[in-house]
Amino acid sequence: MKEYKVETLIYYSKFTLDKYHIVNASKVEIQEKLDVYAQEGWRLVSTDASNFGAAMYIYLYFEK
């Protein structure tokens, strides 16, 4: 039987001229999460993102 896990990451927008600041800030943390889960035998099967106010929510769906 497969196991499933969801990891939620939250990033907040800030006033800046760099419109990609959330993408640039999140790359390192997302890669670290992927590396940790892969070492534990989890496989990334899907992703999703949503925003609410000044926050962006990124969902990583894993299965094992």
Side-chain angles (χ1 to χ4, degrees):
M1 181 175 209
K2 292 188 178 187
E3 295 178 60
Y4 299 94
K5 187 178 275 197
V6 177
E7 179 75 34
T8 305
L9 304 169
I10 304 170
Y11 297 96
Y12 295 95
S13 185
K14 60 182 179 181
F15 292 108
T16 178
L17 296 177
D18 180 10
K19 65 182 180 179
Y20 299 110
H21 74 283
I22 291 178
V23 172
N24 294 330
S26 66
K27 279 183 187 180
V28 172
E29 185 178 2
I30 291 171
Q31 187 61 55
E32 288 172 356
K33 293 287 182 189
L34 293 172
D35 293 343
V36 167
Y37 279 100
Q39 289 176 357
E40 296 174 358
W42 293 94
R43 184 175 74 93
L44 182 68
V45 292
S46 184
T47 61
D48 196 9
S50 63
N51 63 327
F52 182 76
M56 174 171 265
Y57 297 83
I58 298 174
Y59 305 96
L60 306 175
Y61 300 93
F62 296 91
E63 74 177 10
K64 181 167 33 169

